[in-house]
Amino acid sequence: MQYVLKLTPLGVQPHVFRVVSVDGQADVAHVLNLCDLSFDYAHYPERCLYFAQNQKAVQALNLDQPEVDDDHYGPVATAFAPFWQRSLYVDSLALSKYDLQVEKRATVQRFDELLAGFADQINGAVAVDTHPEAQSTHFKFLYVVHGVQHLVEVLMASAKLNCFLPATLMGEGLIIDDDPSCPLSTELINACVAQEEAAQLLVEPDSCGTDVVSDVGAVDRSGDPHVSTVQETGLNLKVCTARMRALGAQRSAESANEALVQAGASPLVIKAY
């Protein structure tokens, strides 16, 4: 199965997100590495996954869906607040937690198998295509990397997607995470996006590009629809995709063997006679 995932950092002021395509045949750690590369995060070992166990937890993960007050026949006031500015109190919810630092064997589980194991709990099947308008049937879970929560939504699942895998299909918000003295945090994300927005103000509106440099419709002089003319400040989807594809759709035989050893299994030894 192949998937289109939308990842949105929570607890931040700006709207930052990535829409990526990944292969469910890859193991969980590899898929998460691809997702990290779409943001260009540094490698952080502190990574956890949270999946809903009951209906209350499912509703809590539906941050982007407006709450409805039946007594007043419509959405409540919080429905109009940006959902990405909210974070979840995971300790107050019935969530299954996978700490990938502790549960090493979970990291080498196929991503397909992981999602299938929780599909029934959220009343949505991830083994079939889901229409973008059917928001309530989408599979959602929480990915926490170095303390930063990311709402992950399965936008589509199909045996064969009409796009090259893996890839960054859409995105917003440039994040620069290359300073060891300033590790990933919501403060870092806010600062990076604020700096990007300030840099965009310096772009002449009548220049060859567009002042919304992370827009997938931006076209540079070469005519590539995925490349912004303002390379220094904008989110470049082509670069994001190049990072992901450099890692590969799935692990190679050598890296798979290394992942198994890290999970506590015996190394694979192939003898030639």
Side-chain angles (χ1 to χ4, degrees):
M1 194 67 65
Q2 297 174 348
Y3 300 93
V4 173
L5 308 177
K6 180 180 180 182
L7 297 95
T8 306
L10 301 179
V12 298
Q13 292 301 312
H15 187 196
V16 179
F17 73 94
R18 300 290 186 272
V19 176
V20 301
S21 54
V22 296
D23 194 339
Q25 292 292 319
D27 59 64
V28 173
H30 192 70
V31 169
L32 296 181
N33 288 338
L34 291 170
C35 293
D36 289 351
L37 286 175
S38 70
F39 288 97
D40 201 19
Y41 290 157
H43 177 70
Y44 296 101
E46 306 91 347
R47 302 194 294 184
C48 296
L49 295 173
Y50 293 87
F51 295 89
Q53 290 183 336
N54 57 24
Q55 191 61 32
K56 180 182 178 181
V58 170
Q59 293 174 349
L61 289 177
N62 279 328
L63 289 172
D64 54 342
Q65 298 304 302
E67 299 178 12
V68 176
D69 184 352
D70 293 332
D71 294 333
H72 295 84
Y73 307 101
V76 298
T78 55
F80 305 102
F83 75 90
W84 54 86
Q85 295 181 2
R86 301 165 54 192
S87 57
L88 291 172
Y89 297 98
V90 294
D91 293 338
S92 63
L93 298 171
L95 298 170
S96 296
K97 178 182 178 181
Y98 280 76
D99 188 335
L100 301 185
Q101 274 190 293
V102 177
E103 302 181 53
K104 297 293 186 180
R105 293 186 180 274
T107 65
V108 295
Q109 182 183 12
R110 273 177 42 192
F111 190 64
D112 269 335
E113 296 175 351
L114 181 73
L115 294 192
F118 288 96
D120 293 337
Q121 290 186 188
I122 66 164
N123 301 321
V126 297
V128 296
D129 288 337
T130 53
H131 195 280
E133 293 181 359
Q135 297 288 340
S136 61
T137 64
H138 286 179
F139 190 107
K140 297 178 184 177
F141 59 94
L142 198 65
Y143 172 42
V144 182
V145 52
H146 203 256
V148 179
Q149 297 180 354
H150 296 73
L151 181 66
V152 185
E153 179 178 5
V154 179
L155 296 178
M156 182 175 291
S158 176
K160 183 65 177 178
L161 293 175
N162 294 322
C163 59
F164 192 85
L165 298 175
T168 306
L169 306 178
M170 297 179 64
E172 183 71 46
L174 180 66
I175 300 174
I176 302 175
D177 182 21
D178 58 1
D179 185 354
S181 64
C182 298
L184 181 66
S185 65
T186 55
E187 292 78 13
L188 172 67
I189 296 175
N190 284 324
C192 287
V193 177
Q195 183 178 6
E196 179 190 5
E197 291 177 347
Q200 289 181 19
L201 294 177
L202 301 177
V203 179
E204 293 294 335
D206 58 347
S207 64
C208 298
T210 173
D211 46 355
V212 186
V213 293
S214 59
D215 187 355
V216 292
V219 181
D220 70 343
R221 292 185 179 89
S222 66
D224 191 333
H226 295 299
V227 183
S228 165
T229 50
V230 190
Q231 303 288 349
E232 307 82 30
T233 59
L235 175 64
N236 190 327
L237 298 183
K238 189 174 183 178
V239 172
C240 294
T241 295
R243 289 195 296 262
M244 295 176 67
R245 291 179 182 172
L247 186 62
Q250 297 183 27
R251 288 186 188 272
S252 65
E254 291 183 2
S255 57
N257 186 31
E258 181 183 352
L260 288 170
V261 172
Q262 291 178 351
S266 300
L268 298 174
V269 178
I270 301 176
K271 295 182 179 181
Y273 294 96

